[in-house]
Amino acid sequence: MFTSQTSMQTSSFQDSIDVEEKDIDYDNEDIGYNQKIQLNCYYTIYLYQGTSLTLVDSSLPSEAEPELRCYISRRLSKGALLGGMGNIATVELSVPEAAVGCYCCLVEQERSPEQPDAEANGYVICLMGGSEKGLNLFRLELDKYVQGLQSSLQTPELVNLENEIRPYLSRWYEESVMHIHRVVQMAQGSICFLLHAALSHKHVEVTNADDRTKADVARFIRAASLQGLVQEDMCKTISQEALTDLIVDCSTSPPMLSNTVSNRFCDDWIQAFLKAAERCNPFLLRQILENFKLKAIQDMNSLKRFIRQAESSHYALFRCCQFLQSCGNGDVLIQNARAEHRDMPEACSIIHVLDEFLSEQRAQG
């Protein structure tokens, strides 16, 4: 029975990694990446007044910009672009790719207190590259990147266009999409320690690095963590229990990591990340990261179910022990379960037994 349970868990875990090979080809155009063709990225910004669009700046070929303008005009006329909310779709343009993913966002200008009911004016920002599916994986990053331009768009006649706005828009792909790739390339096989820190809500300190690298690591940890997927107070409780920070010292290449902790679950994802990074495929990297989190959440839910059953069944407690041993992520699951069930005495006693079981397993190697 124990062997069967272990085999089932291993198969389920392998499926979660292998989905990348089966469902997302490494050169699949559906996520907007082809290893044989350099990915082209574009941006366009329009002034929006009432119902008219006026081109401010664009990196699109001259023949493609009017096509984009017609598309945006149709979207605006249908009320499909709301202020501050990004919209992602596939757009057919006269570019080498023929069809590209297009992120559009209407950034409204601040209204005068004297004219609160005046027609909405603002700027429509379009970021194009890859595919609709690929850009959707980075929707939050793209929303935040465009928001970072808000104050610059309030200056009269955009006098800062050449020195500030144009360079900012030109960097959208590097800053909003490539950060996960940069972290995996930097960490290499040590990526497992960052993954474990993210699941464990452990603080990560980056030393001897520039601001971009520090920001990249922080964003990677946020993207790999379960914040927003588990209770916020639970995350805080676990974070406060952490005795040491994970230190990433970037004075050497690759960086030296201190206070490292990993487990079999995180170790098993290393090759999936490195393989995608070798192909410089940020969209696949993000999909792998989402699958990593999904598998962790599924295992947490399975453990919660087993704990509830174990309150009235010794056999269910035995199944809990089997599951924790086979999943390879027992330390993280117990840590989260302890925080979530801290006000439930019966569940706490079961978790204590499971924790002792894991400690014995670790002692036996």
Side-chain angles (χ1 to χ4, degrees):
M1 177 64 190
F2 180 81
T3 303
S4 173
Q5 179 78 6
T6 302
S7 175
M8 233 165 63
Q9 290 296 334
T10 303
S11 174
S12 173
F13 171 76
Q14 194 60 46
D15 286 345
S16 68
I17 295 182
D18 288 347
V19 69
E20 309 312 328
E21 299 285 349
K22 295 182 291 186
D23 298 340
I24 306 178
D25 184 30
Y26 279 98
D27 296 329
N28 192 346
E29 294 177 3
D30 194 28
I31 58 171
Y33 178 86
N34 189 313
Q35 191 181 5
K36 305 174 185 64
I37 302 174
Q38 179 65 37
L39 180 66
N40 294 317
C41 302
Y42 313 94
Y43 73 85
T44 300
I45 178 170
Y46 296 103
L47 173 64
Y48 176 54
Q49 293 177 301
T51 57
S52 67
L53 284 173
T54 304
L55 177 65
V56 175
D57 195 31
S58 179
S59 65
L60 278 172
S62 57
E63 62 272 21
E65 186 279 316
E67 298 167 344
L68 177 65
R69 193 185 316 191
C70 289
Y71 167 78
I72 298 299
S73 295
R74 290 197 301 270
R75 301 291 291 176
L76 287 168
S77 66
K78 295 177 181 178
L81 288 183
L82 302 177
M85 296 181 62
N87 183 282
I88 298 175
T90 300
V91 183
E92 294 184 0
L93 300 172
S94 297
V95 293
E97 301 84 357
V100 293
C102 178
Y103 169 93
C104 299
C105 186
L106 171 61
V107 180
E108 294 180 321
Q109 286 184 307
E110 296 176 0
R111 302 190 187 191
S112 169
E114 291 80 22
Q115 296 178 307
D117 299 324
E119 271 191 329
N121 292 330
Y123 294 92
V124 176
I125 296 174
C126 303
L127 308 175
M128 292 148 285
S131 71
E132 178 181 348
K133 183 176 180 180
L135 291 186
N136 263 309
L137 293 170
F138 292 90
R139 178 185 292 272
L140 293 178
E141 285 87 349
L142 293 171
D143 282 341
K144 188 170 183 179
Y145 196 71
V146 169
Q147 289 168 11
L149 200 58
Q150 181 104 30
S151 59
S152 300
L153 297 177
Q154 305 304 324
T155 60
E157 300 180 1
L158 296 189
V159 294
N160 54 352
L161 173 63
E162 187 171 341
N163 296 327
E164 189 174 333
I165 296 174
R166 182 178 295 156
Y168 187 88
L169 289 174
S170 298
R171 297 192 304 267
W172 75 265
Y173 181 75
E174 280 295 313
E175 297 299 328
S176 299
V177 175
M178 289 297 292
H179 56 285
I180 293 176
H181 177 265
R182 287 194 294 270
V183 171
V184 176
Q185 282 285 78
M186 177 187 73
Q188 291 295 306
S190 296
I191 196 68
C192 58
F193 302 125
L194 293 175
L195 293 172
H196 190 276
L199 289 184
S200 305
H201 315 286
K202 188 174 186 178
H203 181 258
V204 178
E205 181 182 350
V206 181
T207 62
N208 299 310
D210 55 29
D211 290 342
R212 186 193 204 185
T213 300
K214 291 179 180 179
D216 282 349
V217 173
R219 292 165 72 193
F220 179 89
I221 294 296
R222 280 198 300 273
S225 76
L226 303 181
Q227 289 183 352
L229 300 175
V230 297
Q231 298 173 10
E232 189 65 30
D233 59 338
M234 191 174 90
C235 295
K236 291 179 180 177
T237 298
I238 298 173
S239 181
Q240 290 167 357
E241 290 175 352
L243 300 178
T244 58
D245 296 344
L246 173 62
I247 308 297
V248 181
D249 182 356
C250 296
S251 60
T252 62
S253 181
M256 294 185 295
L257 279 69
S258 306
N259 304 327
T260 55
V261 181
S262 187
N263 58 27
R264 181 159 44 86
F265 177 79
C266 295
D267 292 348
D268 284 344
W269 286 86
I270 295 174
Q271 289 306 312
F273 279 98
L274 295 184
K275 190 173 182 180
E278 284 175 5
R279 295 171 179 262
C280 197
N281 191 330
F283 302 113
L284 179 57
L285 274 171
R286 185 53 175 267
Q287 187 62 65
I288 292 172
L289 194 60
E290 294 303 317
N291 280 16
F292 167 80
K293 291 161 60 176
L294 177 61
K295 179 59 179 168
I297 285 290
Q298 288 173 341
D299 286 351
M300 284 183 186
N301 289 335
S302 294
L303 181 60
K304 282 195 289 186
R305 185 174 67 253
F306 287 143
I307 289 174
R308 285 197 300 269
Q309 294 170 355
E311 293 178 4
S312 56
S313 166
H314 288 294
Y315 177 68
L317 181 60
F318 173 65
R319 290 183 65 196
C320 275
C321 295
Q322 285 184 314
F323 173 74
L324 288 172
Q325 187 176 30
S326 62
C327 73
N329 201 23
D331 58 329
V332 170
L333 299 186
I334 284 293
Q335 184 184 48
N336 281 272
R338 187 188 299 113
E340 186 172 2
H341 297 84
R342 61 186 181 276
D343 297 325
M344 305 175 188
E346 287 188 21
C348 283
S349 63
I350 292 169
I351 292 169
H352 179 70
V353 171
L354 296 175
D355 200 7
E356 287 186 338
F357 168 77
L358 285 178
S359 297
E360 291 174 4
Q361 291 295 312
R362 284 192 292 271
Q364 295 172 10

